[in-house]
């Protein structure tokens, strides 16, 4: 049968090579060839040189399998043809993504993903980092590859994010770019390629910020400060509005604070002021988002009010740190994912300095989602967000569900 030539079974050192023209199988071992005769109708075998009963049973199973394929001579050929039959992934450009997705779309899915992550229901490998060292022909820049699968979801996601290509500014291009690949979790076929240029990354980061605010801050009376006033800060402000709609905002940044405050006040309908320094912002705020380049720390312990929550999202590689070690040591420290924050997040610094260990971590964010208490008084809380594959999987599913209907 045509399908017989496709079957190769290896067992006990033998390789079975079905022949197309007759009901024989060649057994090859140690350069010796023997012939196994079998009857497909009776599913019987004849081989006197194999005396082991276990070997005979195994050979019999191989013959039975062969006859099953012989009964369906086109099945394996069809399988080969089907390999080229996956549909071409849909491409979603930046404009389509930004026009149709918002932080509000991400919050619920990201919260559920954190809960699943804390239960061990998400496969999240460690991020891959590629450093592009500056040379005459390339760089400088960094590339991060993350991904994840939430148990039971219909899709999984792989993300490539390029950041810190600062020379792009001279070329009239942004310093960051990226794509999401959303894959069918049933067939393994890519469904969509999202040219999001960090827009979806910022949305899922904002979703994590919303979850942090929800579980670590009072319901009312929040003054939320933003140290760093770029794209991530804007999504953090939008995220805060979803879960704490009546907050007051304060902005501080080395550049763009005035513009940020004006835009967010108009968009969100909440009052914003601009602080003249990080210290002034800390004196006014009980919730502080930090989203800077992480090249140096941005606040000090004695600047903070009792009951402050700090939500830090600027550190995502070993060279960055926004929060001083003494602030971290004196806080109820909450990680998005300890195995990441201990290596590329804020926790790495105090661990290297010998003032904290992983045992000092109060919880992962998903544990709060699943019922562990968040804020319990006037304690200092730090939430360390390095970005997880669980969030990428969540926003990837949301994006596919919404944009594939367009």
């Amino acid at each position: 049968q045509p399908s017989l030539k496709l079957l190769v079974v290896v067992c006990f050192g033998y390789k079975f090579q079905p022949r197309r023209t007759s009901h024989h199988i060649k057994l090859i071992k140690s350069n010796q060839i023997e012939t196994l005769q079998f009857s497909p109708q009776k599913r019987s075998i004849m081989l006197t040189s194999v005396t082991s009963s276990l070997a005979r049973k195994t050979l019999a199973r191989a013959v039975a399998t062969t006859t099953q394929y012989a009964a369906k001579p086109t099945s394996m050929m069809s399988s080969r043809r089907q390999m080229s039959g996956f549909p071409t992934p849909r491409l979603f450009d930046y404009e389509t993504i930004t026009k149709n997705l918002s932080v509000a779309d991400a919050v619920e899915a990201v919260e559920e993903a954190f809960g699943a992550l804390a239960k061990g229901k998400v496969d999240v490998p460690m991020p891959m980092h590629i450093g592009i060292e500056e040379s005459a022909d390339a760089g400088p820049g960094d590339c991060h590859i993350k991904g994840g699968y939430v148990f039971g979801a219909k899709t999984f996601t792989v993300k490539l994010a390029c950041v810190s290509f600062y020379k792009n500014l001279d070329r009239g291009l942004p310093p960051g770019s990226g794509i999401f690949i959303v894959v069918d979790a049933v067939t393994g076929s890519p469904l969509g390629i999202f040219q999001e240029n960090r827009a979806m990354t910022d949305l899922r980061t904002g979703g994590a910020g919303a979850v942090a605010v929800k579980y670590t801050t009072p319901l009312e009376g929040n003054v939320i400060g933003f140290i760093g006033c770029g794209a991530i800060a804007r999504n953090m402000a939008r995220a805060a509005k979803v879960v704490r709609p009546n907050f007051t905002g304060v902005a501080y940044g080395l550049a763009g604070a005035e513009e940020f405050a004006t835009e967010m006040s108009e968009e969100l309908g909440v009052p914003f002021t601009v602080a003249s320094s990080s210290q002034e912002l800390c004196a006014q705020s009980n919730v502080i988002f930090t989203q800077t380049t992480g090249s140096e720390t941005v606040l000090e312990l004695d600047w903070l009010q009792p009951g402050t929550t700090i939500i830090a999202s600027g550190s995502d590689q070993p060279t960055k740190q926004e929060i001083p070690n003494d602030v971290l040591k004196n806080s109820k420290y909450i990680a998005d994912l300890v195995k990441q924050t201990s290596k590329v997040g804020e926790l790495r610094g105090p661990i290297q300095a010998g003032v904290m260990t992983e045992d000092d971590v109060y919880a992962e964010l998903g544990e709060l989602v699943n019922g562990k208490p968040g804020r319990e008084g006037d304690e200092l809380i730090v939430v360390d967000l390095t970005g997880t594959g669980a969030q990428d999987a969540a926003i990837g599913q949301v994006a596919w569900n919404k944009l594939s209907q367009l």
Side-chain angles (χ1 to χ4, degrees):
Q1 302 294 331
S3 62
L4 291 182
K5 66 180 180 180
L6 301 176
L7 177 66
V8 176
V9 182
V10 178
C11 133
F12 297 109
Y14 288 94
K15 181 192 292 183
F16 296 83
Q17 293 185 333
R19 294 168 57 188
R20 179 176 180 178
T21 57
S22 64
H23 294 318
H24 290 76
I25 292 179
K26 290 182 180 180
L27 283 86
I28 304 173
K29 184 177 183 183
S30 302
N31 297 321
Q32 296 179 359
I33 299 179
E34 302 180 42
T35 299
L36 167 65
Q37 297 180 351
F38 70 97
S39 167
Q41 292 76 24
K42 297 181 180 180
R43 295 186 179 181
S44 61
I45 62 173
M46 181 183 302
L47 181 64
T48 56
S49 62
V50 177
T51 58
S52 165
S53 61
L54 179 59
R56 287 180 178 275
K57 291 178 181 179
T58 303
L59 293 173
R61 286 196 295 270
V63 171
T65 301
T66 303
T67 59
Q68 290 173 9
Y69 280 112
K72 300 178 180 179
T74 63
S75 63
M76 296 185 72
M77 298 294 287
S78 299
S79 180
R80 280 187 171 184
R81 286 195 295 270
Q82 290 168 1
M83 289 301 290
S84 62
F86 287 120
T88 301
R90 291 185 63 181
L91 176 63
F92 300 93
D93 62 22
Y94 179 81
E95 288 74 18
T96 300
I97 294 166
T98 55
K99 286 179 181 178
N100 291 280
L101 289 180
S102 69
V103 172
D105 294 320
V107 172
E108 182 178 356
V110 168
E111 181 175 2
E112 291 175 355
F114 272 121
L117 181 62
K119 293 178 180 178
K121 297 293 186 179
V122 184
D123 187 8
V124 182
M126 283 293 293
M128 177 180 174
H129 172 250
I130 302 172
I132 313 301
E133 186 175 353
E134 185 173 5
S135 67
D137 299 314
D142 296 284
C143 176
H144 305 285
I145 301 171
K146 297 180 180 179
Y149 174 65
V150 180
F151 177 79
K154 295 181 180 180
T155 66
F156 64 93
T157 296
V158 178
K159 180 190 73 175
L160 182 151
C162 294
V163 299
S164 304
F165 283 79
Y166 296 118
K167 286 189 174 181
N168 281 358
L169 298 174
D170 297 331
R171 304 180 181 103
L173 296 170
S177 64
I179 61 169
F180 273 61
I181 303 173
V182 177
V183 185
D184 190 323
V186 177
T187 66
S189 173
L191 296 170
I193 298 173
F194 296 78
Q195 189 180 10
E196 47 90 45
N197 293 339
R198 293 191 56 80
M200 287 168 59
T201 293
D202 291 345
L203 292 181
R204 61 82 152 145
T205 301
V211 175
V213 169
K214 179 177 179 178
Y215 290 98
T216 65
T217 70
L219 292 175
E220 298 292 342
N222 292 291
V223 179
I224 302 181
F226 299 85
I227 300 177
C229 298
I232 295 177
R234 284 167 166 77
N235 280 306
M236 291 302 195
R238 294 168 184 138
K241 177 68 175 180
V242 174
V243 294
R244 295 290 185 266
N246 299 318
F247 77 90
T248 298
V250 184
Y252 171 72
L254 298 179
E258 292 279 358
E259 180 182 5
F260 168 80
T262 300
E263 287 182 4
M264 290 296 98
S265 181
E266 292 176 353
E267 177 181 332
L268 304 178
V270 298
F272 266 82
T273 59
V274 176
S276 61
S277 66
S278 177
Q279 184 173 0
E280 181 182 328
L281 180 145
C282 292
Q284 299 177 35
S285 308
N286 70 300
V287 182
I288 301 171
F289 282 99
T290 64
Q291 49 278 316
T292 69
T293 59
S295 57
E296 59 184 23
T297 57
V298 298
L299 50 78
E300 295 182 14
L301 181 60
D302 59 6
W303 297 354
L304 303 173
Q305 298 186 77
T308 295
T309 294
I310 300 170
I311 302 169
S313 60
S315 295
D316 56 5
Q317 54 184 287
T319 58
K320 298 181 178 181
Q321 186 171 354
E322 293 185 303
I323 312 302
N325 290 344
D326 61 343
V327 173
L328 294 160
K329 179 179 173 57
N330 286 280
S331 73
K332 177 188 278 188
Y333 174 86
I334 299 166
D336 56 2
L337 190 60
V338 173
K339 71 177 183 180
Q340 285 185 192
T341 64
S342 61
K343 294 178 175 61
V344 298
E346 298 297 332
L347 184 58
R348 175 196 55 81
I351 286 178
Q352 288 185 348
V355 298
M356 286 181 71
T357 70
E358 291 186 13
D359 292 336
D360 295 313
V361 175
Y362 171 71
E364 291 187 338
L365 189 54
E367 294 180 78
L368 274 57
V369 174
N370 295 335
K372 190 168 184 176
R375 176 160 296 285
E376 298 176 281
D378 286 340
E379 73 268 56
L380 170 62
I381 294 177
V382 173
V383 183
D384 191 358
L385 303 178
T386 54
T388 70
Q391 295 161 253
D392 296 324
I395 192 63
Q397 180 77 68
V398 168
W400 175 252
N401 288 348
K402 193 169 185 180
L403 273 60
S404 64
Q405 303 305 311
L406 298 177

